[in-house]
Every structure is written in structure tokens, then in C-alpha cells.
């Protein structure tokens, strides 16, 4: 309203639209981040089944480049059709740097090293090596951003990684049979994810996660096509592929890339690179569950125990947030028991009793 309190300066309908649900319900932000985290783990976990199918007929770098060709087209079309032009064009130095960092590190280097490395190492060793990126991210964040984890947080990362190892159950036979070069390539992919995630947080692009993902997918696809050509992979390998390979391309291109990477970049902006990279701990669990659902491979008690260890690691890392959430629920329960409908005022100190 104006100074006299008579005429509204902004129409009521517009004012209602400006207010977001998160403004009215701050707890929704926490639940939204948790839901996106789980969804990203599910989408990335599903991709392993599709990737395994596609690599039977396609060279690794060509398959990776086609994956991001599809993602770039799908995301680009959606962004252009649903958002104003000024919102999806890179306009600042941070936007251009963000597209470059995401395209080079999180997409091109990550997928090139991972796809090629998996060809000369065992899946168990590759998954374990790739799961090291959440361990590398705090080191990179400390170096570039000055971020630090408490002793309990470092312990939580170690505990979660132990849970992943329990689930994968790598034996001396599987470790010694893997090629040293392949192991180094997969570790390089994990390092690329850690470095790219932290750099993306540092450059702070202003554009939204969807336009950023679309541009990054295009940059990564071009780089991967170049790498495929340099490696001597024949582009004609796509001719005559079977229906399972086409289906695998669509699966990894749309839900497991276009959607999953958009969620990943959004989470990096909301909760930081270290917590976002913890998705790598959950992906092997999701892959094991989908393997059981689709192929009938059983989930052993050891796998369940490994999942419990991963949960314990998360609890150590997020102990502060979990404690505050439990205390909030307890306070809400106590207020409901009060005779005063308004309830007692909330204490600024969690669990002050």
C-alpha cells in the first residue's frame, strides 16, 4: 500500500505470486533438497544398466557423446519453449565460466575417463574408485573455497565410503585383475567431478540450473565427439544398432542425464559441492536394488549391512541438521499438548531441555 494506506502499490494477485511456498514454509526447502538428492541417486543409479547395454554395440566415447547430444537437444528445447530468452542466455562472466566448467569437468572429462576406464577394469573396482569423489571434494573445497569439515564430518565420509566397499565386496582377485591404467582413469573421473563441482560453486553463475545444464551438455557433447574422433572411433558405429541400444541411449540421455544433471547442478548451488557429491555413495545401492528388480539378482545381508553403514555415515555428516529436525518435531508435539492454541514460544536453542 501507499503511505496513506489506501491504494495498493502492487496488486494483491501479483503480491501473492511473488511470495513463494518456501517463504511461507521454510522447512519445505530442506525436504525439497532431500527429495532431489534421492531422485538424483535413483536416476544416476538407473543409468548403469542402460550404459552396460549400450556399450555392447557402441564405442565408449561415441556412446558418451551421443548421450549428451540427446540431453542437450531435450533440455535446450524445453528451456527455449518455457523460459524467456534473457533467462537462458549466458549474460555474465560467471555464466560463461559456469558453462565452461560444467561442460569440461563434470561432463566431458568425467564421462570420457569413466567410460574408457570401465573398459579395462572391473565394475567393482570402477565403482569403488568413482565413489572416492566425495572424499576428494572436501580437499578441493578447502583448497579453493576455504571450506572445512569438522572431525565428525570427515569421519562420516570415511564411514560412508566403508559402507560402499562393504556393498561392493571387492576381493583380491577383482582388484588384482583390473588394469592399472583403467583404475587411474576412473580415479581421474572422480577427481574431475570433485574439481568441477567446487569450481562451479566458486564461479557462482547467475543463470538457472536448467539453462546451465543445457549449455554444459552441448559443450560436453562437442568435446566428447572431438575426443571420439581423435581416438579413431568410427562414427558409422551407430548404423544398424539394435533396439536395446536405442532404448539405452534414450534412457541415459533423458532421465539419467538431462534430468539428473540439472538436479545435480541445482543441488551444488543449494547445499554445496561436498554434500552433493555424496550422491556417489547412494548410487551403488540404487544400482543393486534395480539389478534385483530387473534381473533377479538377490540383495544379500551384507548389502543391507553396507547400506546401514552408509546411513550411519550420513548421520555423522548431517548430525546438526538431523538434530535440529528431531528437536523441531519434538517442540511441535509439545505445543499441540498445550492448552494455549498459540503454544509456547520456540526456543532459539535446539533441544534446550
Amino acid at each position: 500500500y501507499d503511505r496513506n494506506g489506501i491504494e495498493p502499490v502492487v496488486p494483491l494477485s501479483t503480491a501473492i505470486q511473488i511470495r513463494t511456498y518456501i517463504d511461507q514454509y521454510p522447512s519445505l526447502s530442506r525436504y525439497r533438497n532431500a527429495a532431489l538428492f534421492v531422485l538424483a541417486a535413483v536416476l544416476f543409479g538407473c543409468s548403469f544398466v542402460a550404459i552396460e547395454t549400450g556399450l555392447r554395440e557402441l564405442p565408449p566415447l561415441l556412446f558418451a557423446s551421443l548421450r549428451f547430444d540427446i540431453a542437450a537437444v531435450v533440455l535446450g528445447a524445453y528451456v527455449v519453449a518455457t523460459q524467456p530468452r534473457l533467462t537462458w542466455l549466458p549474460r555474465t562472466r560467471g555464466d560463461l565460466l559456469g558453462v565452461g566448467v560444467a561442460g569440461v569437468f563434470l561432463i566431458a572429462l568425467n564421462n570420457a575417463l569413466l567410460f574408457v576406464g570401465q573398459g579395462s577394469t572391473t565394475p567393482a573396482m570402477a565403482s569403488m574408485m568413482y565413489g572416492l569423489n566425495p572424499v576428494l571434494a572436501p580437499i578441493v573445497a578447502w583448497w579453493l573455497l576455504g571450506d572445512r569439515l569438522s572431525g565428525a564430518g570427515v569421519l562420516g565420509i570415511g564411514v560412508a565410503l566403508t559402507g560402499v566397499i562393504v556393498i561392493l565386496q571387492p576381493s583380491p582377485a577383482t582388484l588384482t585383475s583390473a588394469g592399472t591404467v583403467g583404475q587411474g582413469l576412473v580415479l581421474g573421473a572422480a577427481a574431475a567431478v570433485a574439481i568441477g563441482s567446487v569450481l562451479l560453486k566458486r564461479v557462482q553463475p547467475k543463470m538457472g540450473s536448467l539453462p546451465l545444464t543445457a549449455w554444459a551438455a552441448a559443450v560436453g557433447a562437442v568435446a566428447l565427439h572431438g575426443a571420439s574422433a581423435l581416438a579413431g572411433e568410427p562414427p558409422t558405429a551407430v548404423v544398424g544398432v539394435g533396439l536395446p541400444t536405442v532404448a539405452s541411449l534414450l534412457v541415459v540421455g533423458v532421465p539419467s542425464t538431462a534430468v539428473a544433471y540439472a538436479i545435480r547442478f541445482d543441488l551444488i548451488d543449494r547445499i554445496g559441492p561436498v554434500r552433493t557429491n555424496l550422491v556417489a555413495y547412494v548410487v551403488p545401492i540404487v544400482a543393486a536394488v534395480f539389478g534385483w528388480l530387473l534381473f533377479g539378482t538377490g540383495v544379500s545381508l551384507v548389502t543391507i549391512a553396507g547400506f546401514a553403514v552408509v546411513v550411519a555415515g550420513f548421520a555423522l555428516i548431517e548430525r546438526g541438521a538431523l538434530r535440529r529436525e528431531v528437536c523441531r518435531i519434538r517442540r511441535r508435539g509439545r505445543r499441540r499438548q498445550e492448552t494455549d492454541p498459540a503454544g509456547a514460544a520456540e526456543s532459539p536453542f535446539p533441544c534446550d531441555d
Side-chain angles (χ1 to χ4, degrees):
Y1 288 87
D2 61 14
R3 293 181 179 180
N4 297 323
I6 299 175
E7 296 294 335
V9 177
V10 179
L12 181 60
S13 60
T14 304
I16 292 175
Q17 294 176 359
I18 292 175
R19 295 187 63 187
T20 64
Y21 284 111
I22 294 178
D23 293 331
Q24 300 176 44
Y25 308 102
S27 62
L28 288 180
S29 178
R30 295 192 297 270
Y31 298 137
R32 177 186 185 276
N33 294 338
L36 289 178
F37 186 95
V38 173
L39 180 58
V42 171
L43 294 178
F44 282 123
C46 292
S47 68
F48 282 95
V49 177
I51 289 173
E52 182 180 356
T53 302
L55 286 176
R56 295 173 181 174
E57 293 190 276
L58 293 174
L61 292 177
L62 180 61
F63 181 42
S65 60
L66 293 174
R67 171 186 188 180
F68 289 99
D69 286 340
I70 297 173
V73 171
V74 172
L75 273 176
Y78 177 79
V79 168
V80 171
T82 59
Q83 298 188 13
R85 183 179 181 182
L86 293 179
T87 62
W88 54 263
L89 285 177
R91 299 175 57 85
T92 66
R93 181 173 178 268
D95 291 342
L96 293 174
L97 288 175
V99 170
V101 165
V104 172
F105 286 94
L106 294 178
I107 292 179
L109 278 177
N110 171 27
N111 285 271
L113 294 172
L114 178 63
F115 277 55
V116 176
Q118 282 186 318
S120 57
T121 187
T122 63
M125 189 61 186
S127 299
M128 187 173 65
M129 298 290 282
Y130 195 70
L132 290 175
N133 77 75
V135 180
L136 300 175
I139 301 175
V140 179
W142 167 77
W143 176 43
L144 295 178
L145 304 181
D147 293 347
R148 299 199 179 199
L149 283 173
S150 64
V154 175
L155 178 61
I157 290 178
V159 170
L161 181 59
T162 302
V164 174
I165 296 174
V166 170
I167 293 172
L168 296 175
Q169 303 178 56
S171 65
T174 60
L175 294 178
T176 56
S177 64
T180 304
V181 175
Q183 298 173 17
L185 290 174
V186 176
L187 181 59
V193 173
I195 295 172
S197 299
V198 174
L199 287 177
L200 190 62
K201 183 70 174 179
R202 182 175 183 176
V203 300
Q204 296 181 343
K206 302 298 182 183
M207 64 192 311
S209 59
L210 282 177
L212 176 65
T213 307
W215 284 106
V219 171
V222 171
L224 287 168
H225 275 294
S228 176
L230 291 175
E233 295 180 350
T236 55
V238 299
V239 179
V241 295
L243 184 59
T245 301
V246 175
S248 69
L249 273 172
L250 293 177
V251 170
V252 299
V254 181
S256 295
T257 302
V259 178
Y261 273 79
I263 294 174
R264 181 187 184 87
F265 295 152
D266 185 48
L267 285 175
I268 289 174
D269 182 61
R270 289 178 174 273
I271 64 177
V274 174
R275 292 179 179 178
T276 300
N277 283 334
L278 291 174
V279 169
Y281 286 145
V282 187
V283 167
I285 302 171
V286 175
V289 171
F290 274 94
W292 172 65
L293 292 175
L294 297 177
F295 304 116
T297 55
V299 179
S300 65
L301 292 177
V302 175
T303 301
I304 297 174
F307 177 77
V309 174
V310 172
V311 172
F314 276 119
L316 282 172
I317 298 169
E318 299 289 349
R319 68 197 185 284
L322 291 173
R323 183 171 179 265
R324 288 190 297 270
E325 186 66 15
V326 171
C327 295
R328 184 187 65 83
I329 295 173
R330 289 175 57 190
R331 286 197 300 266
R332 185 174 61 181
R334 287 198 299 265
R335 286 199 303 269
R336 288 177 178 176
Q337 297 176 359
E338 296 288 337
T339 56
D340 182 4
E346 289 190 16
S347 168
F349 304 100
C351 285
D352 56 354
D353 58 343

